[in-house]
PDB file of all heavy atoms in Angstrom:
ATOM      1  N   ILE E 178     135.660  95.856  98.629  1.00 83.00           N
ATOM      2  CA  ILE E 178     134.828  94.716  98.212  1.00 83.00           C
ATOM      3  C   ILE E 178     134.493  93.824  99.412  1.00 83.00           C
ATOM      4  O   ILE E 178     133.344  93.431  99.622  1.00 83.00           O
ATOM      5  CB  ILE E 178     135.543  93.905  97.106  1.00 83.00           C
ATOM      6  CG1 ILE E 178     135.537  94.711  95.787  1.00 83.00           C
ATOM      7  CG2 ILE E 178     134.889  92.542  96.892  1.00 83.00           C
ATOM      8  CD1 ILE E 178     136.540  94.215  94.766  1.00 83.00           C
ATOM      9  N   LEU E 179     135.523  93.531 100.212  1.00 82.00           N
ATOM     10  CA  LEU E 179     135.319  92.683 101.389  1.00 82.00           C
ATOM     11  C   LEU E 179     134.346  93.329 102.377  1.00 82.00           C
ATOM     12  O   LEU E 179     133.449  92.670 102.920  1.00 82.00           O
ATOM     13  CB  LEU E 179     136.654  92.387 102.093  1.00 82.00           C
ATOM     14  CG  LEU E 179     137.571  91.410 101.356  1.00 82.00           C
ATOM     15  CD1 LEU E 179     138.909  91.274 102.089  1.00 82.00           C
ATOM     16  CD2 LEU E 179     136.908  90.029 101.220  1.00 82.00           C
ATOM     17  N   ALA E 180     134.529  94.647 102.573  1.00 78.00           N
ATOM     18  CA  ALA E 180     133.634  95.368 103.495  1.00 78.00           C
ATOM     19  C   ALA E 180     132.192  95.309 103.002  1.00 78.00           C
ATOM     20  O   ALA E 180     131.252  95.074 103.769  1.00 78.00           O
ATOM     21  CB  ALA E 180     134.092  96.815 103.637  1.00 78.00           C
ATOM     22  N   SER E 181     132.026  95.483 101.684  1.00 76.00           N
ATOM     23  CA  SER E 181     130.680  95.429 101.104  1.00 76.00           C
ATOM     24  C   SER E 181     130.069  94.053 101.323  1.00 76.00           C
ATOM     25  O   SER E 181     128.895  93.910 101.681  1.00 76.00           O
ATOM     26  CB  SER E 181     130.735  95.714  99.597  1.00 76.00           C
ATOM     27  OG  SER E 181     131.352  96.943  99.367  1.00 76.00           O
ATOM     28  N   LEU E 182     130.865  93.015 101.078  1.00 79.00           N
ATOM     29  CA  LEU E 182     130.391  91.645 101.273  1.00 79.00           C
ATOM     30  C   LEU E 182     129.947  91.423 102.715  1.00 79.00           C
ATOM     31  O   LEU E 182     128.889  90.855 102.985  1.00 79.00           O
ATOM     32  CB  LEU E 182     131.500  90.642 100.922  1.00 79.00           C
ATOM     33  CG  LEU E 182     131.611  90.277  99.443  1.00 79.00           C
ATOM     34  CD1 LEU E 182     132.864  89.441  99.201  1.00 79.00           C
ATOM     35  CD2 LEU E 182     130.366  89.517  98.977  1.00 79.00           C
ATOM     36  N   LEU E 183     130.780  91.913 103.637  1.00 78.00           N
ATOM     37  CA  LEU E 183     130.495  91.745 105.059  1.00 78.00           C
ATOM     38  C   LEU E 183     129.160  92.393 105.433  1.00 78.00           C
ATOM     39  O   LEU E 183     128.308  91.803 106.102  1.00 78.00           O
ATOM     40  CB  LEU E 183     131.631  92.357 105.896  1.00 78.00           C
ATOM     41  CG  LEU E 183     131.536  92.136 107.408  1.00 78.00           C
ATOM     42  CD1 LEU E 183     131.666  90.648 107.752  1.00 78.00           C
ATOM     43  CD2 LEU E 183     132.632  92.920 108.145  1.00 78.00           C
ATOM     44  N   VAL E 184     129.013  93.648 104.954  1.00 71.00           N
ATOM     45  CA  VAL E 184     127.755  94.364 105.220  1.00 71.00           C
ATOM     46  C   VAL E 184     126.578  93.576 104.666  1.00 71.00           C
ATOM     47  O   VAL E 184     125.555  93.388 105.325  1.00 71.00           O
ATOM     48  CB  VAL E 184     127.799  95.793 104.623  1.00 71.00           C
ATOM     49  CG1 VAL E 184     126.410  96.430 104.639  1.00 71.00           C
ATOM     50  CG2 VAL E 184     128.797  96.636 105.392  1.00 71.00           C
ATOM     51  N   GLY E 185     126.753  93.061 103.451  1.00 68.00           N
ATOM     52  CA  GLY E 185     125.692  92.283 102.810  1.00 68.00           C
ATOM     53  C   GLY E 185     125.328  91.057 103.624  1.00 68.00           C
ATOM     54  O   GLY E 185     124.155  90.765 103.867  1.00 68.00           O
ATOM     55  N   VAL E 186     126.354  90.324 104.059  1.00 66.00           N
ATOM     56  CA  VAL E 186     126.133  89.095 104.827  1.00 66.00           C
ATOM     57  C   VAL E 186     125.445  89.405 106.165  1.00 66.00           C
ATOM     58  O   VAL E 186     124.480  88.743 106.548  1.00 66.00           O
ATOM     59  CB  VAL E 186     127.478  88.361 105.054  1.00 66.00           C
ATOM     60  CG1 VAL E 186     127.321  87.270 106.115  1.00 66.00           C
ATOM     61  CG2 VAL E 186     127.968  87.760 103.746  1.00 66.00           C
ATOM     62  N   LEU E 187     125.952  90.471 106.840  1.00 66.00           N
ATOM     63  CA  LEU E 187     125.334  90.863 108.117  1.00 66.00           C
ATOM     64  C   LEU E 187     123.870  91.238 107.910  1.00 66.00           C
ATOM     65  O   LEU E 187     122.998  90.856 108.680  1.00 66.00           O
ATOM     66  CB  LEU E 187     126.092  92.060 108.730  1.00 66.00           C
ATOM     67  CG  LEU E 187     127.443  91.738 109.347  1.00 66.00           C
ATOM     68  CD1 LEU E 187     128.150  93.021 109.792  1.00 66.00           C
ATOM     69  CD2 LEU E 187     127.277  90.786 110.540  1.00 66.00           C
ATOM     70  N   PHE E 188     123.622  91.980 106.847  1.00 64.00           N
ATOM     71  CA  PHE E 188     122.260  92.418 106.551  1.00 64.00           C
ATOM     72  C   PHE E 188     121.357  91.205 106.288  1.00 64.00           C
ATOM     73  O   PHE E 188     120.233  91.127 106.762  1.00 64.00           O
ATOM     74  CB  PHE E 188     122.277  93.340 105.334  1.00 64.00           C
ATOM     75  CG  PHE E 188     120.985  94.061 105.145  1.00 64.00           C
ATOM     76  CD1 PHE E 188     120.693  95.191 105.920  1.00 64.00           C
ATOM     77  CD2 PHE E 188     120.044  93.637 104.217  1.00 64.00           C
ATOM     78  CE1 PHE E 188     119.494  95.862 105.764  1.00 64.00           C
ATOM     79  CE2 PHE E 188     118.846  94.303 104.066  1.00 64.00           C
ATOM     80  CZ  PHE E 188     118.578  95.413 104.837  1.00 64.00           C
ATOM     81  N   TYR E 189     121.918  90.223 105.574  1.00 62.00           N
ATOM     82  CA  TYR E 189     121.157  89.005 105.279  1.00 62.00           C
ATOM     83  C   TYR E 189     120.773  88.293 106.568  1.00 62.00           C
ATOM     84  O   TYR E 189     119.613  87.941 106.797  1.00 62.00           O
ATOM     85  CB  TYR E 189     121.989  88.085 104.391  1.00 62.00           C
ATOM     86  CG  TYR E 189     121.378  86.723 104.190  1.00 62.00           C
ATOM     87  CD1 TYR E 189     120.318  86.542 103.287  1.00 62.00           C
ATOM     88  CD2 TYR E 189     121.833  85.614 104.893  1.00 62.00           C
ATOM     89  CE1 TYR E 189     119.744  85.300 103.111  1.00 62.00           C
ATOM     90  CE2 TYR E 189     121.263  84.369 104.728  1.00 62.00           C
ATOM     91  CZ  TYR E 189     120.220  84.216 103.823  1.00 62.00           C
ATOM     92  OH  TYR E 189     119.645  82.985 103.659  1.00 62.00           O
ATOM     93  N   PHE E 190     121.754  88.106 107.445  1.00 57.00           N
ATOM     94  CA  PHE E 190     121.484  87.345 108.668  1.00 57.00           C
ATOM     95  C   PHE E 190     120.591  88.114 109.633  1.00 57.00           C
ATOM     96  O   PHE E 190     119.794  87.527 110.361  1.00 57.00           O
ATOM     97  CB  PHE E 190     122.791  86.922 109.356  1.00 57.00           C
ATOM     98  CG  PHE E 190     123.397  85.720 108.699  1.00 57.00           C
ATOM     99  CD1 PHE E 190     124.591  85.812 108.007  1.00 57.00           C
ATOM    100  CD2 PHE E 190     122.743  84.492 108.752  1.00 57.00           C
ATOM    101  CE1 PHE E 190     125.140  84.691 107.397  1.00 57.00           C
ATOM    102  CE2 PHE E 190     123.296  83.368 108.144  1.00 57.00           C
ATOM    103  CZ  PHE E 190     124.497  83.470 107.456  1.00 57.00           C
ATOM    104  N   LYS E 191     120.711  89.451 109.610  1.00 58.00           N
ATOM    105  CA  LYS E 191     119.865  90.242 110.494  1.00 58.00           C
ATOM    106  C   LYS E 191     118.394  90.033 110.169  1.00 58.00           C
ATOM    107  O   LYS E 191     117.528  90.129 111.032  1.00 58.00           O
ATOM    108  CB  LYS E 191     120.215  91.736 110.348  1.00 58.00           C
ATOM    109  CG  LYS E 191     119.830  92.559 111.552  1.00 58.00           C
ATOM    110  CD  LYS E 191     120.000  94.026 111.284  1.00 58.00           C
ATOM    111  CE  LYS E 191     118.975  94.518 110.278  1.00 58.00           C
ATOM    112  NZ  LYS E 191     119.032  95.946 110.064  1.00 58.00           N
TER     113      LYS E 191
END
Side-chain angles (χ1 to χ4, degrees):
Chain E
I178 288 163
L179 287 176
S181 304
L182 275 172
L183 186 65
V184 168
V186 167
L187 286 174
F188 192 79
Y189 172 78
F190 280 112
K191 203 188 69 176

